[in-house]
Amino acid sequence: MKGTFARAGVIRQGWYLVESGKRLSRGHVRAVEFGSRRLVSYRDHEGAAHVVDDRCPHLGSDLALGHVTAEGLRCEFHGWCWGADGKCVDAPGNTPPPSRRLRHYASLERWGFVWAWLGGEPAFALPDVPAHLTRQMVLRPQRVNAHSDVIFSNGFDLAHFGPSHGIEAPTAALDADGWTIAHRVVGRLSNRASLRIVGLGGRELDFSFAQYGGGIVHLHLVKPIEFLIFFTLRPDAELRSRTRTMLFLRRRTDLPRALAVLWSTAIDDLQIMEKVRWTGAYAPSDAALARYAGFVEDLPAW
């Protein structure tokens, strides 16, 4: 998929956040968009969440209009019913039911959200959080008018750290396999007022920025304090991205300092990202960024 970095219409395989588990009550059906495609999530009567294609394999009726029964998700148009494994379990007027299947996506619930693997069988488990970071904080969702590749590239774009953030931060390590790329950066935070207020101005900085498949980034900060940013996004058809951010902390009192670091290293880039029109004209100082773009383009498409 060379030449597809920061281009519309491509969703890379991986784990993606579908929606809040609280919004998906038992028997409820919801539609959700990923790029130009649309899926349906529903919760069965036993409490399990499912993510499926949005069209009935019979004649293409919209399954977002379907209803949940004890047997599965039933289409409102012709009454065909699809079980938890995607098999047709009932089709009025057809005995036995036709051997058609509704595509189900591997899904699970964790940290209060429903996740789905967009692709075939999952190539890796949903990335975990260090056990000692027990305090979870969920920030408000944001819609950023920027391509997901541009947003995720922030942790590999060393050349912008100085001009944008006043951070001295060279690459300490950059490792990648087929599904994960991890960039360790060691340097020093800026001395801006927002960091000085919480006692972090000019402090030593050590963090790893890792992307898992197409939909998840971990930023694990080790110094000056330890916490994890779990960042995920869902692209739409207009190159925009709906983002969700979770913080995992040792203690709740670390939140003000964690937010100060987050705002001084990432959030203030968002307005700039919304104006980027990616050229791919990398310079020698963009070595880590160019390697990251190659990693992304090598990910299988959904």
Side-chain angles (χ1 to χ4, degrees), residues 223-301:
K223 293 179 180 180
I225 61 171
E226 185 180 13
F227 66 93
L228 178 79
I229 300 172
F230 194 121
F231 184 72
T232 183
L233 53 79
R234 189 175 79 228
D236 66 16
E238 304 299 327
L239 289 179
R240 299 172 300 185
S241 302
R242 180 178 174 83
T243 69
R244 295 305 301 256
T245 304
M246 291 177 278
L247 301 180
F248 292 88
L249 314 164
R250 284 181 175 270
R251 58 190 70 84
R252 191 172 296 273
T253 52
D254 287 338
L255 181 61
R257 293 192 296 169
L259 290 176
V261 174
L262 175 61
W263 256 259
S264 67
T265 58
I267 300 300
D268 52 3
D269 282 337
L270 295 182
Q271 289 184 336
I272 298 174
M273 291 178 180
E274 292 186 333
K275 302 299 183 181
V276 168
R277 297 295 178 266
W278 200 264
T279 66
Y282 305 113
S285 59
D286 301 320
L289 180 59
R291 186 174 176 189
Y292 168 71
F295 160 82
V296 171
E297 292 189 330
D298 286 339
L299 288 172

Side-chain angles (χ1 to χ4, degrees), residues 55-62 75 77-78 80 82 100:
R55 296 293 158 177
C56 179
H58 175 212
L59 292 176
S61 181
D62 187 355
C75 174
F77 197 17
H78 300 95
W80 287 33
W82 307 94
R100 301 188 195 179

Side-chain angles (χ1 to χ4, degrees), residues 29-31 38 40 54-55 60-68 73-77:
V29 183
R30 296 178 58 86
R38 185 168 172 265
V40 165
D54 72 328
R55 296 293 158 177
S61 181
D62 187 355
L63 288 176
L65 303 176
H67 66 277
V68 180
L73 181 61
R74 187 173 295 275
C75 174
E76 288 293 285
F77 197 17

Side-chain angles (χ1 to χ4, degrees), residues 19-286:
E19 62 183 321
S20 169
K22 292 181 179 179
R23 298 186 64 191
L24 194 65
S25 55
R26 294 194 184 207
H28 199 58
V29 183
R30 296 178 58 86
V32 59
E33 294 181 353
F34 287 90
S36 59
R37 299 168 70 172
R38 185 168 172 265
L39 300 177
V40 165
S41 61
Y42 71 93
R43 192 179 297 281
D44 64 29
H45 291 327
E46 302 300 318
H50 304 269
V51 180
V52 300
D53 278 347
D54 72 328
R55 296 293 158 177
C56 179
H58 175 212
L59 292 176
S61 181
D62 187 355
L63 288 176
L65 303 176
H67 66 277
V68 180
T69 70
E71 293 77 28
L73 181 61
R74 187 173 295 275
C75 174
E76 288 293 285
F77 197 17
H78 300 95
W80 287 33
C81 187
W82 307 94
D85 61 354
K87 181 179 179 181
C88 181
V89 296
D90 185 34
N94 298 275
T95 305
S99 58
R100 301 188 195 179
R101 302 187 74 88
L102 171 65
R103 184 175 183 182
H104 271 62
Y105 295 84
S107 60
L108 53 82
E109 287 190 70
R110 193 171 297 169
W111 308 301
F113 295 97
V114 177
W115 304 80
W117 175 274
L118 301 189
E121 289 297 317
F124 56 88
L126 184 67
D128 214 337
V129 172
H132 61 280
L133 299 179
T134 57
R135 300 293 184 177
Q136 177 187 354
M137 302 295 295
V138 180
L139 304 187
R140 292 175 60 87
Q142 290 182 284
R143 188 174 295 279
V144 183
N145 295 320
H147 193 284
S148 57
D149 290 349
V150 175
I151 297 171
F152 275 169
S153 72
N154 202 45
F156 300 88
D157 184 7
L158 283 175
H160 91 286
F161 282 10
S164 293
H165 307 301
I167 294 175
E168 304 170 23
T171 294
L174 181 59
D175 301 300
D177 59 26
W179 290 98
T180 306
I181 184 167
H183 186 206
R184 184 181 174 212
V185 174
V186 176
R188 193 167 297 280
L189 284 169
S190 73
N191 202 32
R192 62 175 57 179
S194 59
L195 291 169
R196 292 200 308 272
I197 290 172
V198 293
L200 299 181
R203 296 279 297 277
E204 186 178 354
L205 178 66
D206 187 340
F207 71 88
S208 293
F209 191 96
Q211 180 166 330
Y212 300 86
I216 292 173
V217 156
H218 275 185
L219 194 160
H220 188 184
L221 196 84
V222 178
K223 293 179 180 180
I225 61 171
E226 185 180 13
F227 66 93
L228 178 79
I229 300 172
F230 194 121
F231 184 72
T232 183
L233 53 79
R234 189 175 79 228
D236 66 16
E238 304 299 327
L239 289 179
R240 299 172 300 185
S241 302
R242 180 178 174 83
T243 69
R244 295 305 301 256
T245 304
M246 291 177 278
L247 301 180
F248 292 88
L249 314 164
R250 284 181 175 270
R251 58 190 70 84
R252 191 172 296 273
T253 52
D254 287 338
L255 181 61
R257 293 192 296 169
L259 290 176
V261 174
L262 175 61
W263 256 259
S264 67
T265 58
I267 300 300
D268 52 3
D269 282 337
L270 295 182
Q271 289 184 336
I272 298 174
M273 291 178 180
E274 292 186 333
K275 302 299 183 181
V276 168
R277 297 295 178 266
W278 200 264
T279 66
Y282 305 113
S285 59
D286 301 320

